[in-house]
Amino acid sequence: MKTIENDYIKVEVNECGAELHSIVRKSDGREFLWQGNPEYWKRRSPVLFPIVGAVWNNEMRVGASKYCLFQHGFARDALFTLVAHEPAELWMSFSSSEDTLAIYPFDFRLEIGYRLAGSTVEVMWRVKNPSTDEVLHFQIGAHPAFNYIDYDPEAQNQGYMRLAPAAADYVLSVIGEKGCLNRSDDTLHTGAGDIEITRNTFDADAIILENSQVQEVTLLARDKTPYLRVSFDAPLVGLWSPARGKYAPFVCIEPWYGRCDREHYTGQYADKEWMQHLAPGADFSASYKITLL
């Protein structure tokens, strides 16, 4: 576990998956990141790479070959190497190997960084294509889980998610069979951009909003006091909490550069929707920010 901190917050990062492990506000010691109780969900903030979500039947096709790739990819379980560590910033890296090439036939270098500025954690990604002659096809995404500010398992609601830009309606994508997309033309009615978090909010699995409809999600307490904000440039965002007939104590806000297959997709991996394509020798960079309010 590696630590960075400033006057406002203290952050821990696990070398397994380069996963954000803790975000503590120093003024009162409050932990904002879900702490991985396996009763609900064992992870905290995995990085999703080289796929976001599922490929149909866990199969991806590259040319005439098939590869088995499980949901959200393998980076979240990989051991990263620490490459830079300053008081308020660190970077870790993970590169392709014989093991990864057996299930994902592309060379890559993935770098994940965390930087503090005031009460904000910036999460940074760099993907590098070391190949001299092959395009790197990949997806990448975030899956951070945040504790409710005043969790009450018996409450009628756990607060609200405020979307920005605000809209009365958003175009909603819907998860269907085997964790893959059923359709992407449903409607999410919010009235003015606020989603009330009730026992039924996530009954249909994740709320997925595509095409840069949303660039910021703020968590609000029951009285609509804001307490945490996630801001991003990613073209997709997923909102999720386990639906098991009772509230889980957290909600995930997930900026994505990629998305699961559509149901029954058997095309080429490179032709998946929302695929990122990186030319030989090129770099991809992206980031998102978590701000304690």
Side-chain angles (χ1 to χ4, degrees):
M1 205 70 60
K2 303 302 179 184
T3 300
I4 54 176
E5 59 185 308
N6 61 15
D7 291 340
Y8 303 95
I9 49 180
K10 179 179 179 180
V11 166
E12 291 182 345
V13 181
N14 195 337
E15 287 178 297
C16 180
E19 184 175 5
L20 191 59
H21 207 257
S22 174
I23 306 174
V24 172
R25 183 168 60 196
K26 286 187 170 183
S27 62
D28 58 3
R30 178 179 287 276
E31 174 66 73
F32 282 81
L33 196 71
W34 168 244
Q35 292 298 287
N37 180 348
E39 178 185 353
Y40 297 97
W41 189 55
K42 69 177 182 179
R43 300 184 187 270
R44 306 184 186 203
S45 182
V47 177
L48 317 180
F49 178 91
I51 57 171
V52 174
V55 291
W56 183 249
N57 288 329
N58 297 323
E59 288 183 351
M60 57 175 278
R61 292 164 175 79
V62 180
S65 300
K66 292 182 183 180
Y67 299 86
C68 181
L69 202 57
F70 293 105
Q71 186 176 31
H72 295 324
F74 48 74
R76 60 183 182 170
D77 295 316
L79 183 62
F80 280 64
T81 299
L82 183 69
V83 295
H85 192 182
E86 299 177 1
E89 182 174 346
L90 65 78
W91 284 89
M92 295 180 177
S93 72
F94 168 57
S95 297
S96 52
S97 65
E98 289 185 5
D99 289 339
T100 67
L101 290 170
I103 57 174
Y104 175 69
F106 300 98
D107 284 317
F108 66 87
R109 177 179 172 89
L110 172 60
E111 298 178 350
I112 299 175
Y114 298 91
R115 179 189 295 141
L116 306 184
S119 294
T120 295
V121 184
E122 183 177 11
V123 184
M124 301 165 288
W125 302 320
R126 296 174 187 155
V127 182
K128 302 185 177 184
N129 183 0
S131 174
T132 59
D133 56 2
E134 291 190 358
V135 175
L136 170 59
H137 309 290
F138 72 95
Q139 298 178 332
I140 192 166
H143 204 317
F146 302 106
N147 295 321
Y148 293 121
I149 197 75
D150 51 359
Y151 174 66
D152 179 355
E154 305 302 324
Q156 293 299 311
N157 73 58
Q158 296 295 347
Y160 302 84
M161 295 177 288
R162 176 163 292 167
L163 311 183
D169 299 305
Y170 297 88
V171 179
L172 176 67
S173 297
V174 179
I175 295 294
E177 261 188 274
K178 301 179 181 179
C180 290
L181 200 76
N182 178 271
R183 62 189 189 278
S184 53
D185 59 356
D186 206 350
T187 301
L188 174 66
H189 302 284
T190 67
D194 287 359
I195 301 173
E196 184 180 9
I197 303 171
T198 72
R199 295 181 186 277
N200 305 115
T201 300
F202 301 102
D203 281 355
D205 209 314
I207 296 170
I208 299 175
L209 303 170
E210 305 189 32
N211 296 307
S212 299
Q213 296 178 82
V214 173
Q215 300 288 273
E216 185 177 276
V217 180
T218 302
L219 294 181
L220 314 177
R222 292 185 192 87
D223 64 0
K224 294 204 169 183
T225 299
Y227 60 91
L228 182 141
R229 178 173 296 132
V230 179
S231 51
F232 46 88
D233 291 325
L236 303 94
V237 63
L239 308 171
W240 176 79
S241 188
R244 299 183 179 179
K246 60 181 180 180
Y247 287 118
F250 66 90
V251 63
C252 296
I253 302 172
E254 310 172 35
W256 296 339
Y257 290 83
R259 195 242 299 130
C260 60
D261 281 352
R262 289 184 181 269
E263 292 176 339
H264 309 290
Y265 178 76
T266 56
Q268 288 288 304
Y269 176 72
D271 297 332
K272 277 169 53 68
E273 293 174 304
W274 296 109
M275 183 61 68
Q276 307 300 313
H277 309 283
L278 198 55
D283 296 351
F284 166 94
S285 295
S287 68
Y288 71 96
K289 294 180 179 180
I290 302 165
T291 301
L292 312 186
L293 304 175

